[in-house]
Amino acid sequence: MKLRTDLPVIFDSFGEARQAGFLAVKELKEQGQPVIGAYCTFLPEELAIAGGAIQISLCSTSDETIPAAEEDLPRNLCPLIKSSYGFGKTDKCPYFYFSDLVVGETTCDGKKKMYEYMAQFKPTYVMQVPNSRDTEASFALWRDEIIRYKEKLEETLQTTITDEQVHDAIVFKNKERQARKDFYGLGKLNPPAITGTDIFKVMYGANYTFDKEKLIDTLNETTARIQQEYEEGKRLDPRPRILITGCPIGGVTEKVIRAVEDNGGIVVAFENCTVAKAVEQLVDEEKEVYDALTEKYINIGCACVSNNNTRVELLDQMIDDYQADGVLDMVLQACHPFAIESKRIKEFCQNEKEVPYMYLETDYSTSDVEQINTRVTAFLEMIGV
Amino acid sequence: MKLRTDLPVIFDSFGEARQAGFLAVKELKEQGQPVIGAYCTFLPEELAIAGGAIQISLCSTSDETIPAAEEDLPRNLCPLIKSSYGFGKTDKCPYFYFSDLVVGETTCDGKKKMYEYMAQFKPTYVMQVPNSRDTEASFALWRDEIIRYKEKLEETLQTTITDEQVHDAIVFKNKERQARKDFYGLGKLNPPAITGTDIFKVMYGANYTFDKEKLIDTLNETTARIQQEYEEGKRLDPRPRILITGCPIGGVTEKVIRAVEDNGGIVVAFENCTVAKAVEQLVDEEKEVYDALTEKYINIGCACVSNNNTRVELLDQMIDDYQADGVLDMVLQACHPFAIESKRIKEFCQNEKEVPYMYLETDYSTSDVEQINTRVTAFLEMIGV
């Protein structure tokens, strides 16, 4: 288990993966590789894998396409939705361009309705996520949606997806999940072994590493190397340990990570869709494949589901495991589900976990960077440590 | 079929029904009458009727309780949701106070998440509305939700609700729907027989008339009287005929109706939840009762469902039937579903129906009344006629 390159070089290479992937996906397409474009972690990647396709996260993290989106969508809508739509509309996202099928979900009102318009210029398929996970009928609905999506994939990819292939994909994807968990789990080390900036860079870049076998190896080797160096005494200075929760982060919104780490704190954990939220729970390899996928994906702790106890349970565990000194709840402007749920998260952190909580609402501009720095600095000072 | 009182007196009495109902509901409660509090037309009233309860629309149309709501909810949320929550929290709504059970639905993100908090101070039950109506599993989910709600009612009301009782309630509620349809259908007359202000006053007040037998008689007699007077030559001057669509109207937002009728237009139809949207389609009396209820309620053309073809179909029909010269789409601030869907409605009106369309976003303040007047006046002038 030997990495040829130094850790900073590996981190940077993950940091550049999204850009580098543009060329890679073009080459893959030229070799006849089908591509499924995805926006959300509710989409069971196992099915694309089983069908021989690769699933890629589509562009949604820059404000450059928001003006184009606002020609069709309300301005008072979350920047992630406007950005996603704008990238599709202006065809500025190579991943979108190369996607044979774009798959969305009815997670929130904004996405649910936005896809109606996206379908006018791109083959778009929408999965219906139930609003609750508390009844057998919710489970049945989501299971039906997963099977319907499998059938849509079979039609799009002109193939048949067998249960055995799905099972193989479950086992493989679990291996990837475990490698991710082991890597971002390094954040549990105290004093810290790695910054949140680097954890994030690797986890975000992993989404754009299409050779998944190689990804798993690189992640495992990197994790082992960091652990080894840590045991040899290479540690970062102790600083207030922040757990970030809330909406997905990426691109412009990495300003929130920087605000913590440039001002004396360290981000040790991310309870969000970019890192732990959809990865933490593996798919049960013993169960019937569609039952197993239904169970795994319906339990992703997104604020779009009511009640969202699974988020609180994961937070509960992570605050302890990562020894978080503070929780920063990052919410994108006009994201009603996460904005409303923040009251519950705040009360849970402050009353049940007795850990300081900060609510931070932001968008895809950089105009609030100084304001965020000021607020985060005050939060870190309040935490002290 | 003789009404003892004059029409304006009848209209005013409907206009005062909501206030007058406060005392009526108190008396009904004292007589042991159970009350189910409702927020949304997705709630199948037939079940409350079958269980011997009355279902009442809860307060949600004034801004007086919004500051209290904003202590717990984001400011950037639709005023209807904040108002509803605020009335509950401050206990300023007698209907809320007297409700044995409050029933909400997961229509939009805001309501879905708000009910999580309302449940902390009031017995609150939430029905899960599917995000789509296109699959058998959606139908199965909604049917299951209706039956679960029936069971919840049986528990709350300490009774058993038989299929026969539900069928009787369906027949009765259809009679009420037909009486409402016949009344608001007077708007089809051209030249007009009645203003939109009066149509609205009666339809809104009808929600607070708890003696439904009497309501049906009064509606039928009023409709007959107006028709008779119309045939005898009593007509209003022709004016630009406006169809209002969009979010529910009531209380402060009646400013939109006034803006049309004070500035030379007339509102002939309301394709919204206060008037036609949930009333137009009767429940099939021949089908198995839960299939029939599922089919009726899943087809209410709310923007929260994707796709929402049923709204466009109803609009299509109503624009023709009511000979609308213009469509005014009233959207409450931060209501993502209706705001996003407005693009489709605009294109449908302008391109397919070739009828002028106006988008109007407003909230529960009165500060935009002059601005609305100016915009509506310009719209009416543009229509000309």
Side-chain angles (χ1 to χ4, degrees), chain B residues 139 143 283-284 287-296:
Chain B
F139 191 92
R143 190 178 192 281
V283 180
D284 191 325
K287 287 193 174 153
E288 188 274 335
V289 291
Y290 292 103
D291 279 349
L293 290 175
T294 305
E295 184 180 82
K296 190 269 173 310

Side-chain angles (χ1 to χ4, degrees), chain A residues 316-341:
Chain A
D316 190 9
Q317 186 67 45
M318 288 181 74
I319 289 170
D320 293 343
D321 289 351
Y322 290 81
Q323 301 170 59
D325 299 312
V327 171
L328 194 160
D329 196 357
M330 200 285 297
V331 175
L332 294 173
Q333 261 172 25
C335 172
H336 294 340
F338 276 98
I340 301 177
E341 191 162 284

Side-chain angles (χ1 to χ4, degrees), chain B residues 191-379:
Chain B
I194 180 172
T195 64
T197 303
D198 285 335
I199 292 176
F200 187 85
K201 213 184 267 178
V202 173
M203 288 295 92
Y204 190 62
N207 296 335
Y208 300 96
T209 310
F210 308 127
D211 182 341
K212 295 284 184 190
E213 291 279 11
K214 194 179 146 207
L215 169 67
I216 294 168
D217 289 344
T218 309
L219 285 176
N220 288 338
E221 288 164 16
T222 308
T223 306
R225 167 94 73 97
I226 294 169
Q227 263 164 338
Q228 188 193 327
E229 291 186 359
Y230 189 79
E231 280 153 26
E232 290 163 8
K234 192 173 169 190
R235 283 139 202 238
L236 302 177
D237 290 336
R239 284 174 274 175
R241 301 167 64 85
I242 302 302
L243 181 151
I244 290 183
T245 183
C247 292
I249 287 184
V252 196
T253 47
E254 292 171 39
K255 63 188 171 188
V256 177
I257 306 171
R258 281 193 296 274
V260 173
E261 304 207 324
D262 289 353
N263 292 292
I266 186 161
V267 178
V268 292
F270 299 85
E271 191 283 305
N272 65 16
C273 272
T274 330
V275 184
K277 197 191 279 291
V279 172
E280 197 63 21
Q281 187 186 324
L282 302 190
V283 180
D284 191 325
E285 297 176 9
E286 304 306 317
K287 287 193 174 153
E288 188 274 335
V289 291
Y290 292 103
D291 279 349
L293 290 175
T294 305
E295 184 180 82
K296 190 269 173 310
Y297 285 93
I298 207 174
N299 280 319
I300 293 173
C302 179
C304 69
V305 182
S306 179
N307 64 53
N308 191 19
N309 291 343
T310 57
R311 180 182 180 199
V312 175
E313 287 158 14
L314 180 55
L315 259 181
D316 190 8
Q317 186 67 44
M318 288 181 74
I319 289 170
D320 292 343
D321 289 351
Y322 290 81
Q323 301 171 58
D325 299 312
V327 171
L328 195 161
D329 196 358
M330 200 283 297
V331 175
L332 294 173
Q333 261 171 27
C335 172
H336 294 341
F338 276 99
I340 301 178
E341 192 162 283
S342 66
K343 173 176 144 69
R344 178 175 183 195
I345 301 303
K346 178 184 180 179
E347 288 168 356
F348 173 73
C349 290
Q350 293 182 340
N351 304 341
E352 294 190 45
K353 302 301 288 182
E354 295 183 342
V355 61
Y357 167 93
M358 175 178 168
Y359 178 77
L360 200 159
E361 196 167 294
T362 188
D363 63 8
Y364 282 6
S365 74
T366 50
S367 60
D368 60 356
V369 165
E370 279 316 308
Q371 193 205 334
I372 293 175
N373 276 329
T374 307
R375 288 194 56 213
V376 168
T377 302
F379 183 61

